[in-house]
Amino acid sequence: MRAYQLPKGGAGIDALAVVDRPMPKPLYRQVLVKVAACSLNFRDLGVVRGTYRMPVGDNLVPLSDGAGEVIEVGAGVARVKAGDKVAGCFFQRWPGGEMTADAGASALGGAIDGMLAEYVVLEEDGVVKIPEHLSLEEGATLPCAGVTAWNAIAQHAKLIAGQTVLLQGTGGVSIFGLQLAHALGVTAIVTSSSDEKLARAKALGAACGINYKTTPEWDKAAVAFNGGRGVDHVIEVGGANTLTRSFGAIRNGGKVSMIGGLSGGATELNPGLIFSKRANVQGIYVGSTEMFAAMNAAIAANKIKPAVDQVFEFDDVKAAYKHMAAGAHFGKIVIRVA
């Protein structure tokens, strides 16, 4: 079978190469999946650039996100069967509960080989059936960005209808967060440097769009939109250039879900920002299989369709990475494998 390999973390996009690998075989409580599609996350760009916060092994098969059809199951498998359409879970060994060190060592496309191959073997507890109304290409967008947004909104913030969330930018996590918030009856505020992207976000249900280039004090604009109270929750993906304003945007007792550092890691954090707002701050590292299944139930009930920016062919993987690096995408970038 064909697969992509990265010879060494940090080797760069152009170092990605197609190789022939032996057909994998499922063992006890494992499943063999014929991969139909994969999708990219900002983390995948960090792996090839060498900026990802964790080391990766040589000759890594990249990408955490992919979906396909189960074609064979190993002994002891009961959750899925041949013919089921599934997505792989970001963490192959985090079925539920608190995250453990073992779960953290099972991250696809980083700690272990990922999904950018024609066939992959996954753990039985490391796959979920995708909602029936989604294509496999749409299902491939769910594992990282979707589950991260669900963890932040439903698990950490526990948002309910009538509350307000602020989402930074229009990448995968933020757009999933917008769609999930809208389905839950949560008011969504979206920031972007592009008025065109803000218009698209409003078409997906955003109640307010703030251009942070023309309105650099976007935290004050968010508070004003919310009647001077501040927002209940911020999905923080910016890092160094946005964190202080995230605290400025939340209400007293508000929550900040720390997800990414697109503008670099915040090197300083004034504890007074937390004390003054009685803020609840939590780091979010994707989520468990249990969270994935709960999110899928919400997606199925509301017939949510992931926002797919562009679909690339398997032979055009480098172009897909470069499209993400350009930062012009809205939602998810997909690679069609088969």
Side-chain angles (χ1 to χ4, degrees):
M1 66 152 194
R2 296 186 303 162
Y4 273 87
Q5 279 187 180
L6 182 68
K8 188 177 181 63
I13 293 171
D14 289 329
L16 288 163
V18 180
V19 298
D20 287 322
R21 283 196 165 198
M23 177 68 75
K25 184 76 175 174
L27 302 176
Y28 179 69
R29 295 198 65 200
Q30 292 182 330
V31 300
L32 177 64
V33 176
K34 186 179 190 298
V35 181
C38 296
S39 73
L40 282 165
N41 296 286
F42 188 76
R43 172 226 197 208
D44 302 312
L45 201 56
V47 168
V48 299
R49 286 173 166 173
T51 57
Y52 186 51
R53 59 189 178 84
M54 295 181 178
V56 299
D58 294 345
N59 298 317
L60 176 78
V61 176
L63 303 194
S64 60
D65 288 16
E69 182 178 335
V70 176
I71 61 170
E72 186 181 349
V73 300
V77 172
R79 289 183 61 246
V80 294
K81 63 183 185 305
D84 285 343
K85 292 177 171 56
V86 300
C89 299
F90 185 97
F91 292 108
Q92 285 293 286
R93 297 189 298 273
W94 186 10
E98 293 293 325
M99 186 178 180
T100 64
D102 181 62
S106 69
L108 292 171
I112 61 175
D113 282 339
M115 296 293 295
L116 196 52
E118 292 178 320
Y119 295 87
V120 297
V121 165
L122 301 172
E123 302 297 326
E124 178 187 17
D125 287 333
V127 296
V128 295
K129 296 177 186 177
I130 66 172
E132 291 184 2
H133 73 286
L134 298 185
S135 69
L136 286 169
E137 289 175 3
E138 291 167 333
T141 69
L142 302 175
C144 181
V147 177
T148 297
W150 178 262
N151 189 356
I153 287 173
Q155 299 292 128
H156 174 218
K158 294 181 172 59
L159 293 180
I160 59 174
Q163 292 188 310
T164 304
V165 61
L166 185 146
L167 304 130
Q168 296 173 351
T170 55
V173 172
S174 294
I175 294 303
F176 268 119
L178 164 60
Q179 292 178 292
L180 292 167
H182 184 63
L184 293 169
V186 173
T187 299
I189 301 170
V190 176
T191 66
S192 173
S193 61
S194 165
D195 288 336
E196 178 188 356
K197 289 183 178 181
L198 289 174
R200 293 176 69 182
K202 286 181 179 179
L204 289 175
C208 174
I210 304 171
N211 187 316
Y212 61 79
K213 290 292 187 184
T214 57
T215 308
E217 292 186 330
W218 50 264
D219 53 335
K220 294 180 179 179
V223 171
F225 174 79
N226 207 34
R229 178 174 178 267
V231 303
D232 297 286
H233 182 216
V234 174
I235 290 186
E236 166 62 55
V237 301
N241 293 346
T242 57
L243 185 57
T244 297
R245 293 204 181 278
S246 290
F247 283 105
I250 59 171
R251 64 169 173 81
N252 285 326
K255 295 182 178 181
V256 177
S257 293
M258 296 287 299
I259 289 165
L262 298 181
S263 63
T267 56
E268 294 183 7
L269 175 59
N270 178 1
L273 295 172
I274 300 175
F275 296 142
S276 64
K277 288 291 183 73
R278 296 183 296 107
N280 179 300
V281 184
Q282 182 168 310
I284 302 292
Y285 191 12
V286 195
S288 66
T289 303
E290 186 178 72
M291 293 180 203
F292 200 161
M295 178 194 71
N296 279 353
I299 287 174
N302 291 279
K303 295 296 187 286
I304 294 172
K305 299 279 278 186
V308 175
D309 176 84
Q310 191 170 338
V311 180
F312 291 82
E313 298 300 325
F314 191 70
D315 292 334
D316 296 327
V317 162
K318 294 177 185 178
Y321 271 85
K322 290 174 182 178
H323 183 56
M324 167 157 274
H329 60 288
F330 180 96
K332 296 294 293 180
I333 298 167
V334 173
I335 297 163
R336 184 183 293 119
V337 177

Coordinates of all heavy atoms in Angstrom, one line a residue, residues 229-268:
R229 N -21.6 43.0 29.6 CA -21.4 42.0 30.6 C -20.2 41.2 30.4 O -19.6 40.6 31.3 CB -22.7 41.0 30.6 CG -22.6 39.8 31.6 CD -23.9 39.1 31.6 NE -23.9 37.9 32.4 CZ -23.5 36.7 32.0 NH1 -23.2 36.5 30.7 NH2 -23.5 35.7 32.8
G230 N -19.7 41.1 29.2 CA -18.6 40.2 28.9 C -19.2 38.8 28.5 O -20.3 38.4 28.8
V231 N -18.3 38.0 27.8 CA -18.8 36.7 27.2 C -18.6 35.7 28.3 O -17.8 35.8 29.2 CB -18.1 36.4 25.9 CG1 -18.3 37.5 24.9 CG2 -16.6 36.1 26.1
D232 N -19.3 34.6 28.1 CA -19.2 33.5 29.1 C -18.0 32.6 28.8 O -17.4 32.0 29.8 CB -20.4 32.6 29.0 CG -21.7 33.3 29.4 OD1 -21.9 33.6 30.6 OD2 -22.5 33.7 28.5
H233 N -17.5 32.6 27.6 CA -16.5 31.6 27.2 C -15.7 32.2 26.0 O -16.3 32.8 25.1 CB -17.1 30.3 26.9 CG -16.2 29.2 26.5 ND1 -16.5 28.3 25.5 CD2 -15.0 28.8 27.0 CE1 -15.5 27.4 25.4 NE2 -14.6 27.7 26.3
V234 N -14.4 31.9 26.0 CA -13.5 32.2 24.9 C -12.8 31.0 24.5 O -12.2 30.3 25.3 CB -12.5 33.4 25.2 CG1 -11.5 33.5 24.0 CG2 -13.2 34.7 25.5
I235 N -12.8 30.6 23.2 CA -12.0 29.6 22.7 C -10.7 30.3 22.2 O -10.7 30.9 21.1 CB -12.7 28.8 21.6 CG1 -13.8 28.0 22.2 CG2 -11.7 27.9 20.8 CD1 -14.5 27.0 21.2
E236 N -9.7 30.1 22.9 CA -8.4 30.8 22.7 C -7.4 30.0 21.9 O -6.9 29.0 22.3 CB -7.8 31.1 24.1 CG -6.3 31.6 24.1 CD -6.1 32.9 23.4 OE1 -6.8 33.9 23.7 OE2 -5.2 32.9 22.5
V237 N -7.2 30.5 20.6 CA -6.3 29.7 19.7 C -5.1 30.6 19.3 O -4.2 30.1 18.7 CB -7.0 29.3 18.5 CG1 -8.2 28.3 18.8 CG2 -7.5 30.4 17.6
G238 N -5.1 31.9 19.7 CA -4.1 32.8 19.2 C -2.8 32.8 20.0 O -1.7 32.8 19.4
G239 N -2.9 32.7 21.3 CA -1.6 32.7 22.1 C -1.1 34.0 22.5 O -1.9 34.8 23.1
A240 N 0.1 34.3 22.1 CA 0.8 35.5 22.6 C 0.1 36.8 22.3 O 0.0 37.7 23.1 CB 2.2 35.5 22.1
N241 N -0.5 36.9 21.1 CA -1.1 38.2 20.7 C -2.6 38.3 21.1 O -3.2 39.4 20.8 CB -1.0 38.3 19.2 CG 0.5 38.5 18.7 OD1 1.4 38.7 19.6 ND2 0.7 38.4 17.5
T242 N -3.1 37.3 21.7 CA -4.6 37.4 22.0 C -5.0 37.1 23.4 O -6.1 37.4 23.8 CB -5.3 36.4 21.1 OG1 -4.8 35.0 21.3 CG2 -5.2 36.7 19.6
L243 N -4.1 36.5 24.2 CA -4.5 36.0 25.5 C -5.0 37.1 26.4 O -6.0 37.0 27.1 CB -3.4 35.2 26.1 CG -3.7 34.5 27.5 CD1 -4.9 33.6 27.3 CD2 -2.4 33.8 28.0
T244 N -4.3 38.2 26.4 CA -4.7 39.3 27.3 C -6.1 39.8 27.0 O -6.9 40.1 27.9 CB -3.7 40.5 27.3 OG1 -2.4 40.0 27.8 CG2 -4.1 41.6 28.2
R245 N -6.3 39.9 25.7 CA -7.6 40.4 25.3 C -8.7 39.4 25.5 O -9.9 39.8 25.7 CB -7.6 40.8 23.8 CG -6.8 42.1 23.5 CD -7.2 42.8 22.3 NE -6.3 44.0 22.1 CZ -6.4 45.1 22.7 NH1 -7.4 45.3 23.6 NH2 -5.6 46.1 22.5
S246 N -8.4 38.1 25.5 CA -9.4 37.1 25.9 C -9.9 37.3 27.3 O -11.1 37.2 27.6 CB -8.8 35.7 25.7 OG -8.6 35.4 24.4
F247 N -8.9 37.6 28.2 CA -9.4 37.9 29.6 C -10.2 39.2 29.7 O -11.1 39.3 30.5 CB -8.1 38.0 30.5 CG -7.6 36.7 30.9 CD1 -6.4 36.2 30.3 CD2 -8.2 35.9 31.8 CE1 -5.8 35.0 30.7 CE2 -7.7 34.7 32.2 CZ -6.5 34.2 31.6
G248 N -9.9 40.1 28.8 CA -10.7 41.4 28.7 C -12.1 41.1 28.2 O -13.0 41.9 28.6
A249 N -12.3 40.1 27.4 CA -13.6 39.8 26.8 C -14.5 39.1 27.7 O -15.8 39.2 27.6 CB -13.4 39.1 25.5
I250 N -14.0 38.3 28.7 CA -14.9 37.4 29.5 C -15.6 38.2 30.6 O -15.1 39.2 31.1 CB -14.2 36.2 30.1 CG1 -13.0 36.6 31.0 CG2 -13.7 35.3 29.0 CD1 -12.4 35.5 31.7
R251 N -16.7 37.7 31.1 CA -17.4 38.2 32.2 C -16.7 37.7 33.5 O -15.8 36.9 33.5 CB -18.8 37.7 32.2 CG -19.0 36.2 32.4 CD -20.4 35.8 32.7 NE -20.6 34.3 32.6 CZ -20.3 33.5 33.6 NH1 -19.8 33.9 34.8 NH2 -20.5 32.2 33.5
N252 N -17.1 38.3 34.6 CA -16.6 37.8 35.9 C -17.0 36.3 36.0 O -18.2 36.0 35.9 CB -17.2 38.6 37.1 CG -16.5 39.9 37.2 OD1 -15.3 40.0 37.0 ND2 -17.3 40.9 37.6
G253 N -16.1 35.4 36.3 CA -16.4 34.0 36.4 C -16.4 33.3 35.1 O -16.8 32.1 35.0
G254 N -16.0 34.0 34.0 CA -16.0 33.4 32.7 C -14.9 32.4 32.5 O -14.0 32.3 33.3
K255 N -14.9 31.7 31.4 CA -14.0 30.6 31.1 C -13.2 30.8 29.8 O -13.8 31.3 28.9 CB -14.7 29.2 31.0 CG -15.4 28.9 32.4 CD -16.1 27.5 32.3 CE -16.7 27.2 33.6 NZ -17.4 25.8 33.6
V256 N -11.9 30.4 29.9 CA -11.1 30.5 28.7 C -10.5 29.1 28.5 O -9.9 28.5 29.3 CB -9.9 31.5 28.9 CG1 -9.0 31.5 27.7 CG2 -10.4 32.9 29.2
S257 N -10.8 28.6 27.3 CA -10.3 27.3 26.9 C -9.0 27.5 26.0 O -9.1 28.1 24.9 CB -11.3 26.5 26.0 OG -12.4 26.1 26.8
M258 N -7.9 27.1 26.6 CA -6.6 27.3 25.9 C -6.4 26.2 24.9 O -6.2 25.0 25.3 CB -5.5 27.4 26.9 CG -5.5 28.5 27.8 SD -5.1 30.1 27.0 CE -3.4 29.7 26.5
I259 N -6.3 26.5 23.6 CA -6.3 25.4 22.6 C -5.0 25.5 21.7 O -4.4 24.5 21.4 CB -7.5 25.5 21.7 CG1 -8.7 25.0 22.5 CG2 -7.4 24.6 20.5 CD1 -10.1 25.3 21.9
G260 N -4.6 26.7 21.3 CA -3.5 26.8 20.4 C -2.7 28.1 20.7 O -3.0 28.9 21.5
G261 N -1.7 28.2 19.9 CA -0.8 29.4 19.9 C -0.4 29.8 18.5 O 0.8 29.8 18.2
L262 N -1.4 30.2 17.7 CA -1.1 30.6 16.3 C -0.2 31.7 16.2 O 0.6 31.8 15.2 CB -2.4 30.9 15.6 CG -3.4 29.7 15.5 CD1 -4.7 30.2 14.7 CD2 -2.8 28.5 14.9
S263 N -0.2 32.6 17.2 CA 0.7 33.8 17.1 C 1.9 33.6 18.0 O 2.7 34.5 18.3 CB 0.0 35.1 17.6 OG -0.5 34.9 18.9
G264 N 2.1 32.3 18.5 CA 3.3 32.0 19.4 C 2.8 31.8 20.8 O 1.7 32.3 21.2
G265 N 3.6 31.1 21.5 CA 3.2 30.8 22.9 C 3.3 32.1 23.8 O 4.2 32.9 23.6
A266 N 2.3 32.2 24.6 CA 2.3 33.4 25.5 C 3.5 33.2 26.6 O 3.5 32.2 27.3 CB 1.0 33.5 26.2
T267 N 4.4 34.1 26.5 CA 5.6 33.9 27.4 C 5.4 34.5 28.8 O 6.1 34.1 29.8 CB 6.8 34.6 26.8 OG1 6.5 36.0 26.6 CG2 7.2 34.0 25.5
E268 N 4.4 35.3 29.0 CA 4.1 35.9 30.3 C 2.5 35.9 30.5 O 1.8 36.1 29.6 CB 4.6 37.3 30.4 CG 6.1 37.4 30.4 CD 6.5 38.9 30.6 OE1 5.7 39.7 30.9 OE2 7.7 39.1 30.5

